[in-house]
Amino acid sequence: DHRPVRWVTWREAIAYCDWLTGKLRERGDTPEPLRTLLREQRWRVTLPSETEWEKAARGPAPSRRILAWGDELPG
């Protein structure tokens, strides 16, 4: 299904991130360089911070838009 996940707590989402990190570390078909970053550099899958989320929602710089869809609220 291509719908967003609903009714998941923050702790459940973090538990999923930890589970996914472990699966990606142990799988033999995890692509490089992700495999090296997860195994050797000890990277992990996480939820974005509020700042990271906002930056992604706004789009690439040098955009000065207030909202991802533009400066005006949708009608």
Side-chain angles (χ1 to χ4, degrees), residues 57-58 63-75:
R58 285 181 185 250
S63 173
R64 299 288 180 228
R65 294 180 298 181
I66 296 172
L67 305 169
W69 53 83
D71 294 336
E72 300 296 323
L73 292 174

PDB file of all heavy atoms in Angstrom, residues 57-58 63-75:
ATOM      1  N   ALA A  57      11.103  19.591   3.434  1.00  0.00           N
ATOM      2  CA  ALA A  57       9.780  20.036   3.010  1.00  0.00           C
ATOM      3  C   ALA A  57       9.837  21.328   2.206  1.00  0.00           C
ATOM      4  O   ALA A  57       9.043  21.544   1.302  1.00  0.00           O
ATOM      5  CB  ALA A  57       8.878  20.217   4.228  1.00  0.00           C
ATOM      6  N   ARG A  58      10.804  22.193   2.519  1.00  0.00           N
ATOM      7  CA  ARG A  58      10.918  23.472   1.809  1.00  0.00           C
ATOM      8  C   ARG A  58      11.493  23.311   0.413  1.00  0.00           C
ATOM      9  O   ARG A  58      11.279  24.134  -0.449  1.00  0.00           O
ATOM     10  CB  ARG A  58      11.790  24.443   2.595  1.00  0.00           C
ATOM     11  CG  ARG A  58      11.090  25.018   3.793  1.00  0.00           C
ATOM     12  CD  ARG A  58      12.007  25.987   4.508  1.00  0.00           C
ATOM     13  NE  ARG A  58      11.386  26.439   5.720  1.00  0.00           N
ATOM     14  CZ  ARG A  58      10.936  27.657   5.920  1.00  0.00           C
ATOM     15  NH1 ARG A  58      11.070  28.564   4.987  1.00  0.00           N
ATOM     16  NH2 ARG A  58      10.378  27.982   7.053  1.00  0.00           N
ATOM     17  N   SER A  63      15.762  28.399  -2.718  1.00  0.00           N
ATOM     18  CA  SER A  63      14.342  28.679  -2.560  1.00  0.00           C
ATOM     19  C   SER A  63      14.083  29.396  -1.243  1.00  0.00           C
ATOM     20  O   SER A  63      14.610  29.028  -0.211  1.00  0.00           O
ATOM     21  CB  SER A  63      13.553  27.371  -2.597  1.00  0.00           C
ATOM     22  OG  SER A  63      12.211  27.613  -2.298  1.00  0.00           O
ATOM     23  N   ARG A  64      13.295  30.424  -1.286  1.00  0.00           N
ATOM     24  CA  ARG A  64      12.940  31.174  -0.083  1.00  0.00           C
ATOM     25  C   ARG A  64      11.467  30.984   0.244  1.00  0.00           C
ATOM     26  O   ARG A  64      10.875  31.767   0.946  1.00  0.00           O
ATOM     27  CB  ARG A  64      13.251  32.664  -0.257  1.00  0.00           C
ATOM     28  CG  ARG A  64      14.713  32.937  -0.503  1.00  0.00           C
ATOM     29  CD  ARG A  64      15.502  32.723   0.775  1.00  0.00           C
ATOM     30  NE  ARG A  64      16.910  32.983   0.524  1.00  0.00           N
ATOM     31  CZ  ARG A  64      17.866  32.175   0.894  1.00  0.00           C
ATOM     32  NH1 ARG A  64      17.604  31.058   1.519  1.00  0.00           N
ATOM     33  NH2 ARG A  64      19.115  32.469   0.654  1.00  0.00           N
ATOM     34  N   ARG A  65      10.888  29.930  -0.324  1.00  0.00           N
ATOM     35  CA  ARG A  65       9.483  29.678  -0.074  1.00  0.00           C
ATOM     36  C   ARG A  65       9.256  29.379   1.401  1.00  0.00           C
ATOM     37  O   ARG A  65      10.056  28.736   2.051  1.00  0.00           O
ATOM     38  CB  ARG A  65       8.997  28.495  -0.901  1.00  0.00           C
ATOM     39  CG  ARG A  65       9.017  28.774  -2.387  1.00  0.00           C
ATOM     40  CD  ARG A  65       8.537  27.599  -3.140  1.00  0.00           C
ATOM     41  NE  ARG A  65       9.455  26.484  -2.887  1.00  0.00           N
ATOM     42  CZ  ARG A  65       9.327  25.294  -3.428  1.00  0.00           C
ATOM     43  NH1 ARG A  65       8.335  25.043  -4.223  1.00  0.00           N
ATOM     44  NH2 ARG A  65      10.189  24.354  -3.171  1.00  0.00           N
ATOM     45  N   ILE A  66       8.135  29.813   1.907  1.00  0.00           N
ATOM     46  CA  ILE A  66       7.771  29.526   3.282  1.00  0.00           C
ATOM     47  C   ILE A  66       7.222  28.109   3.384  1.00  0.00           C
ATOM     48  O   ILE A  66       7.489  27.389   4.326  1.00  0.00           O
ATOM     49  CB  ILE A  66       6.748  30.561   3.789  1.00  0.00           C
ATOM     50  CG1 ILE A  66       7.400  31.941   3.813  1.00  0.00           C
ATOM     51  CG2 ILE A  66       6.208  30.180   5.151  1.00  0.00           C
ATOM     52  CD1 ILE A  66       6.434  33.071   4.110  1.00  0.00           C
ATOM     53  N   LEU A  67       6.464  27.687   2.375  1.00  0.00           N
ATOM     54  CA  LEU A  67       5.849  26.370   2.365  1.00  0.00           C
ATOM     55  C   LEU A  67       6.331  25.596   1.152  1.00  0.00           C
ATOM     56  O   LEU A  67       6.734  26.171   0.145  1.00  0.00           O
ATOM     57  CB  LEU A  67       4.326  26.518   2.321  1.00  0.00           C
ATOM     58  CG  LEU A  67       3.723  27.376   3.445  1.00  0.00           C
ATOM     59  CD1 LEU A  67       2.266  27.677   3.159  1.00  0.00           C
ATOM     60  CD2 LEU A  67       3.881  26.673   4.787  1.00  0.00           C
ATOM     61  N   ALA A  68       6.274  24.267   1.230  1.00  0.00           N
ATOM     62  CA  ALA A  68       6.759  23.426   0.138  1.00  0.00           C
ATOM     63  C   ALA A  68       6.015  23.680  -1.164  1.00  0.00           C
ATOM     64  O   ALA A  68       6.565  23.549  -2.241  1.00  0.00           O
ATOM     65  CB  ALA A  68       6.639  21.957   0.538  1.00  0.00           C
ATOM     66  N   TRP A  69       4.719  24.066  -1.090  1.00  0.00           N
ATOM     67  CA  TRP A  69       3.912  24.278  -2.281  1.00  0.00           C
ATOM     68  C   TRP A  69       3.892  25.737  -2.707  1.00  0.00           C
ATOM     69  O   TRP A  69       3.175  26.105  -3.622  1.00  0.00           O
ATOM     70  CB  TRP A  69       2.485  23.789  -2.046  1.00  0.00           C
ATOM     71  CG  TRP A  69       1.870  24.374  -0.818  1.00  0.00           C
ATOM     72  CD1 TRP A  69       1.259  25.607  -0.695  1.00  0.00           C
ATOM     73  CD2 TRP A  69       1.835  23.804   0.470  1.00  0.00           C
ATOM     74  NE1 TRP A  69       0.856  25.819   0.579  1.00  0.00           N
ATOM     75  CE2 TRP A  69       1.207  24.708   1.346  1.00  0.00           C
ATOM     76  CE3 TRP A  69       2.294  22.598   1.017  1.00  0.00           C
ATOM     77  CZ2 TRP A  69       1.006  24.460   2.678  1.00  0.00           C
ATOM     78  CZ3 TRP A  69       2.091  22.357   2.342  1.00  0.00           C
ATOM     79  CH2 TRP A  69       1.446  23.267   3.172  1.00  0.00           C
ATOM     80  N   GLY A  70       4.662  26.617  -2.057  1.00  0.00           N
ATOM     81  CA  GLY A  70       4.710  28.024  -2.402  1.00  0.00           C
ATOM     82  C   GLY A  70       4.396  28.891  -1.196  1.00  0.00           C
ATOM     83  O   GLY A  70       4.216  28.394  -0.098  1.00  0.00           O
ATOM     84  N   ASP A  71       4.317  30.182  -1.417  1.00  0.00           N
ATOM     85  CA  ASP A  71       4.104  31.110  -0.303  1.00  0.00           C
ATOM     86  C   ASP A  71       2.633  31.282   0.078  1.00  0.00           C
ATOM     87  O   ASP A  71       2.314  31.831   1.112  1.00  0.00           O
ATOM     88  CB  ASP A  71       4.689  32.481  -0.635  1.00  0.00           C
ATOM     89  CG  ASP A  71       6.211  32.398  -0.750  1.00  0.00           C
ATOM     90  OD1 ASP A  71       6.806  31.483  -0.169  1.00  0.00           O
ATOM     91  OD2 ASP A  71       6.782  33.282  -1.403  1.00  0.00           O
ATOM     92  N   GLU A  72       1.736  30.817  -0.787  1.00  0.00           N
ATOM     93  CA  GLU A  72       0.308  30.984  -0.538  1.00  0.00           C
ATOM     94  C   GLU A  72      -0.297  29.677  -0.048  1.00  0.00           C
ATOM     95  O   GLU A  72       0.061  28.613  -0.512  1.00  0.00           O
ATOM     96  CB  GLU A  72      -0.410  31.427  -1.825  1.00  0.00           C
ATOM     97  CG  GLU A  72       0.102  32.740  -2.383  1.00  0.00           C
ATOM     98  CD  GLU A  72      -0.140  33.916  -1.458  1.00  0.00           C
ATOM     99  OE1 GLU A  72      -1.195  33.961  -0.809  1.00  0.00           O
ATOM    100  OE2 GLU A  72       0.749  34.799  -1.398  1.00  0.00           O
ATOM    101  N   LEU A  73      -1.230  29.786   0.887  1.00  0.00           N
ATOM    102  CA  LEU A  73      -1.950  28.600   1.333  1.00  0.00           C
ATOM    103  C   LEU A  73      -2.856  28.106   0.220  1.00  0.00           C
ATOM    104  O   LEU A  73      -3.420  28.917  -0.521  1.00  0.00           O
ATOM    105  CB  LEU A  73      -2.768  28.910   2.583  1.00  0.00           C
ATOM    106  CG  LEU A  73      -1.957  29.192   3.843  1.00  0.00           C
ATOM    107  CD1 LEU A  73      -2.886  29.626   4.967  1.00  0.00           C
ATOM    108  CD2 LEU A  73      -1.178  27.953   4.263  1.00  0.00           C
ATOM    109  N   PRO A  74      -3.002  26.789   0.076  1.00  0.00           N
ATOM    110  CA  PRO A  74      -3.887  26.287  -0.978  1.00  0.00           C
ATOM    111  C   PRO A  74      -5.325  26.691  -0.714  1.00  0.00           C
ATOM    112  O   PRO A  74      -5.738  26.867   0.420  1.00  0.00           O
ATOM    113  CB  PRO A  74      -3.705  24.778  -0.900  1.00  0.00           C
ATOM    114  CG  PRO A  74      -3.106  24.502   0.422  1.00  0.00           C
ATOM    115  CD  PRO A  74      -2.404  25.736   0.859  1.00  0.00           C
ATOM    116  N   GLY A  75      -6.091  26.846  -1.775  1.00  0.00           N
ATOM    117  CA  GLY A  75      -7.482  27.285  -1.694  1.00  0.00           C
ATOM    118  C   GLY A  75      -8.426  26.232  -1.181  1.00  0.00           C
ATOM    119  O   GLY A  75      -8.172  25.117  -0.985  1.00  0.00           O
TER     120      GLY A  75
END
